[in-house]
Amino acid sequence: MAANNWNHHIPVVLLLVILWCTTTQGIWLDLPESGTKCVSEDIHNNVVVLADYSVINHQEDSHLHPAATISVKVTSPYGNNLHHNENATHGQFAFTTTESGNYLACFWVDGNHRAGDRLTVSLDWRVGIAAKDWESVAKKEKIEGVEFELTKLEGAVEAIHENLIYLKNREAEMREVSEKTNARVAWFSIMSLGVCIGASVLQVWYLQRFFHKKKLI
C-alpha cells in the first residue's frame, strides 16, 4: 500500500520540481532619488518574456500628493529598444527574444517625486514556460485534469531541455574562447622570451665589440 501511494505521488513531485526549475522572478527594487537601477537575465533565442511592474506607494498621505512615477527601458543584448515607458505608475512588457544574451530592464524616478520619500517598484519577471498562458492553451486544445497537467509537464521538460542545450553551447563557446586565449598567451610568452634572448645576445655582442675597440680584452 505504501509503495502504491508513493508511485501516485511521483508525478506530482516531478511536476513540482520541474515547475520550480522554470524561471519566475518576483522582486522589489528600491529606486534611488537619482540614478538608475537595472535587472538583467541571460536568455537564449526564441524565448517568450513577460513582465509586470508597478510602483508601491509607501506614503501615508498619498491622497494629498500625486503618485510618484517612473521611467522604464528594456533593451536587448545588442542595445535594441524593446520597451520604453515614461511617467508611469504601472505597466507591462512582453516580447520574444531574437538574440541570445543579457536582457536589461532599467528603472529610474521621474520628476514627480518628493525628496526623501521611499520609492519601490514591484517587478514580476516571467520567462519561457512560466510566461505561457496555460488557460488559453487548455481552452484551445480542450484539455483538462490530468491531461492538462501532463501538457504543462511536457512544456516544462522541453523548456529544461532547451536550456540544457543552450548552456552546453555556451560552455562550448566559452571553452573555445578560453583555448584561443591560452594559445595567444602562449605565443606572446614565446615571443617575449625570444625578444629577451635577442636583446641579451645583442648586449653581449655590443659589449664585446666595445671592449675590443678599447683594447681592454
Side-chain angles (χ1 to χ4, degrees), residues 16-202:
L16 291 175
V17 170
I18 292 177
L19 290 179
W20 177 78
C21 291
T22 57
T23 305
T24 304
Q25 297 181 2
I27 57 176
W28 282 17
L29 301 174
D30 288 327
L31 301 185
E33 294 183 8
S34 61
T36 303
K37 181 164 287 190
C38 301
V39 294
S40 66
E41 184 165 359
D42 190 3
I43 310 174
H44 58 85
N45 188 28
N46 198 28
V47 174
V48 176
V49 178
L50 177 64
D52 296 279
Y53 56 89
S54 61
V55 176
I56 300 175
N57 196 348
H58 297 282
Q59 300 176 8
E60 296 180 357
D61 55 347
S62 58
H63 61 285
L64 299 177
H65 299 276
T69 57
I70 60 172
S71 291
V72 185
K73 186 176 183 180
V74 183
T75 55
S76 71
Y78 292 100
N80 297 321
N81 191 10
L82 302 175
H83 175 76
H84 185 71
N85 194 9
E86 297 180 351
N87 299 320
T89 57
H90 64 278
Q92 182 184 80
F93 57 85
F95 57 88
T96 300
T97 59
T98 57
E99 309 160 0
S100 297
N102 276 320
Y103 284 78
L104 194 66
C106 293
F107 302 82
W108 65 92
V109 178
D110 283 332
N112 186 19
H113 178 60
R114 292 188 303 173
D117 288 339
R118 179 185 173 191
L119 186 60
T120 304
V121 175
S122 172
L123 175 64
D124 182 17
W125 180 286
R126 288 167 283 169
V127 176
I129 194 71
K132 194 169 185 178
D133 188 356
W134 288 107
E135 293 183 0
S136 298
V137 173
K139 292 179 180 179
K140 182 178 180 180
E141 300 184 4
K142 297 180 181 179
I143 56 177
E144 59 182 7
V146 176
E147 187 178 2
F148 176 60
E149 296 299 329
L150 289 176
T151 302
K152 292 173 65 177
L153 182 61
E154 181 182 5
V157 171
E158 291 177 355
I160 292 176
H161 182 253
E162 291 176 358
N163 284 331
L164 290 176
I165 293 176
Y166 172 68
L167 292 175
K168 181 180 178 181
N169 293 335
R170 286 296 300 273
E171 190 273 336
E173 292 174 0
M174 295 299 294
R175 184 175 64 251
E176 183 179 357
V177 171
S178 178
E179 290 175 354
K180 288 182 178 179
T181 303
N182 290 335
R184 290 175 180 175
V185 170
W187 278 110
F188 180 77
S189 300
I190 293 173
M191 291 177 61
S192 299
L193 181 61
V195 170
C196 291
I197 293 174
S200 300
V201 171
L202 287 174

Side-chain angles (χ1 to χ4, degrees), residues 1-13:
M1 180 66 69
N4 291 334
N5 289 336
W6 172 247
N7 289 334
H8 286 303
H9 283 84
I10 288 178
V12 177
V13 173

